[in-house]
Structures are given as C-alpha cells and as structure tokens.
Amino acid sequence: MIQIKSAKEMESMRRACMISAAALRYGGQHIEAGMMTLELDQLMYDFIIRQGAKPNFKGLYGFPGTACISLNDTVIHGIPTKSQVIRPGDIVSIDVGAKVGGFNGDNACTFACGKIDMEAQRLLDVTKESLYLGIAAAKAGNRVGDIGHAVQQFCESHGFSVVREFTGHGVGKELHEDPEVPNYGTAGRGPRLVAGMTIAIEPMICQHDHKVKTLADGWTVKTRDGGLAAHFEHTVAILPGKTEILTKGWDEPDSLL
Ligand code: MG
C-alpha cells in the first residue's frame, strides 16, 4: 500500500534525507586509492551515528554494512569488506541511508577514484542526468511509468542499458515501501503519483548488456558481461505543484528542475 505522508511526516522525511545526503557526500569525499571498502563504510557509520541517526541499511534483510559499496562491474549491493581495495581509476557506487525520527532517507552516487577513462565518465554523466530526467517526470498527476520511460529513453539513446531486476521504491517509515519505481517502462502506465508520496528514484545503468547476476554471497549484483555499471539515487517528495529533492546536498540539482 502506498503511504501518503502528512506535512509533519514530511518534515521528518526532510531530516532523515538531509542526514542521508550528508553521509553520502562524506563517503564520497573520503574515497581514496588504497582504501578498503570496509574503512569507507566505517567512516559513514561513525558519521551517521554522530548525527544522532541510525544507519538504516545495516541489518536490513541481514545486510552487514552501513552502505552498499559497489566497484566497477558491481551494480548494487556490494558488501564492504576488509579485503577489497579501491584502486585508482575505479568507479565507486555508494548507496547509503539514515533513519531518524521514525523515517528513512535513501540515496546513492557513483564516484570516481582519481582519473577514470572517458567511457566510464560518460556512463556516470548519462546515468546522473537520467536521474534528474526521472525526477522531472515524477510530478503529481503523472504515473510511475513516466519516470521509468524518461530514464530508459535517455540512457538507451546513449547506448547504455537499464537493469530490470531492481527498481526504485517508496520510502518512509520503512526503507522500502510501495510502489516499485522501475527505471524502464511505458509513459502513462502504473500507479498515479499524488502529493504526499515520497519515493526513491534510482537508475542502475549498464555500459553494455543489462543482464545481471547475484554472487554466492547472496548480495553482490554484477553485470553478467563484466561491463561497468553506475547508480544514482535521490529520495524525492511529490508535493502539490512541485517535486522536492529531499536528499539534496551531495549534488547541485536545482538547475535541472
Ligand atoms: Mg533505494
């Protein structure tokens, strides 16, 4: 069931999302070649705790980390470890969220460790732009399919592909609520977007084929063909006459809305 947030609940969402965005930016700023992904995870854990919030991924469905940290051909759900080292030229997806006041924030960004090659940069640029196109389609009166359609059209027009098995989602008291928000789809289809909904829009885009596999650890999702993948995510609020990016701060989105 889709949960509609009251004005008061929306304030709680803003706070949870503000901390989530700050944690993501903090993680991105601390990426360094030679660092273990678990070290980066620990930094974000400490940061979220210092804000008086709770890392909402930790323990959810049994996930061990504060953040999902996914390198290169890992699309999502990379488990932070003390053996995986971040290397120069890696693309590093961080997906992290915080819970405070009973509500959740959720956001993600794919960062570059040092200089990355042009094709990787193009994948990051296109995926990020597709997120803002998805957000622009996420307005009251539109349908969920309008979001996926906008993301898919744009990414495929640049020769990239959209992951099918994982989607965005409603977010609120629970990290994952209805509706599912696919990054592909048909305009004008799906549940209607109405004021008071808060949803996480999160394009997961592959350099080549969109097929993915989950490793034996039960979490790590990689591209089947070994191509790169990028992941950008904002939690947004559908409001009367406008859509507000609640996880603003790790980026400068205003000009695109
Ligand atoms: Mg999410």
Side-chain angles (χ1 to χ4, degrees):
M1 204 178 87
I2 294 173
Q3 304 289 333
I4 301 299
K5 280 78 183 178
S6 67
K8 188 164 171 258
E9 290 175 327
M10 209 54 98
E11 276 309 310
S12 301
M13 282 298 294
R14 283 192 183 94
R15 178 158 158 66
C17 287
M18 196 182 71
I19 295 171
S20 301
L24 178 57
R25 184 170 53 189
Y26 186 81
Q29 285 169 342
H30 286 82
I31 292 171
E32 242 181 80
M35 180 181 237
M36 262 74 84
T37 53
L38 188 63
E39 290 178 71
L40 186 57
D41 191 73
Q42 186 65 45
L43 288 173
M44 287 182 275
Y45 176 84
D46 293 341
F47 180 89
I48 291 169
I49 296 296
R50 280 201 301 274
Q51 313 310 312
K54 182 175 164 272
N56 53 7
F57 289 19
K58 209 174 180 63
L60 186 68
Y61 317 121
F63 187 76
T66 289
C68 301
I69 303 179
S70 306
L71 307 186
N72 301 319
D73 63 336
T74 300
V75 188
I76 50 167
H77 298 170
I79 299 173
T81 69
K82 53 185 177 205
S83 56
Q84 188 171 38
V85 178
I86 300 170
R87 300 185 188 285
D90 281 351
I91 58 170
V92 183
S93 298
I94 299 179
D95 189 352
V96 68
K99 183 172 187 176
V100 70
F103 285 83
N104 290 280
D106 188 6
N107 59 178
C109 175
T110 303
F111 297 96
C113 178
K115 196 168 162 41
I116 58 173
D117 67 42
M118 271 173 58
E119 187 59 6
Q121 188 62 55
R122 197 171 73 86
L123 175 67
L124 267 50
D125 293 343
V126 166
T127 306
K128 187 170 166 187
E129 192 167 347
S130 79
L131 168 61
Y132 292 113
L133 293 170
I135 292 169
K139 50 189 180 191
N142 276 9
R143 290 183 183 270
V144 166
D146 293 310
I147 301 170
H149 179 74
V151 170
Q152 182 177 21
Q153 284 283 107
F154 184 71
C155 292
E156 290 182 355
S157 76
H158 284 83
F160 298 132
S161 68
V162 176
V163 169
R164 302 298 200 272
E165 287 87 343
F166 299 91
T167 69
H169 49 90
V171 52
K173 284 184 180 156
E174 303 296 329
L175 182 62
H176 294 135
E177 296 184 349
D178 289 337
E180 282 195 351
V181 183
N183 297 299
Y184 57 93
T186 309
R189 296 282 180 85
R192 174 112 33 211
L193 298 164
V194 300
M197 284 172 70
T198 46
I199 56 173
I201 301 175
E202 49 177 320
M204 298 158 228
I205 305 301
C206 303
Q207 184 181 16
H208 306 303
D209 194 76
H210 64 76
K211 290 195 192 72
V212 297
K213 61 182 176 188
T214 302
L215 300 191
D217 62 21
W219 283 106
T220 314
V221 176
K222 284 181 177 280
T223 59
R224 274 185 191 262
D225 62 14
L228 298 173
H231 180 206
F232 287 81
E233 174 181 27
H234 271 307
T235 299
V236 306
I238 313 294
L239 300 172
K242 71 166 189 167
T243 295
E244 181 181 334
I245 298 177
L246 300 176
T247 43
K248 218 157 80 164
W250 56 260
D251 201 14
E252 295 303 329
D254 284 345
S255 60
L256 290 159
L257 286 175

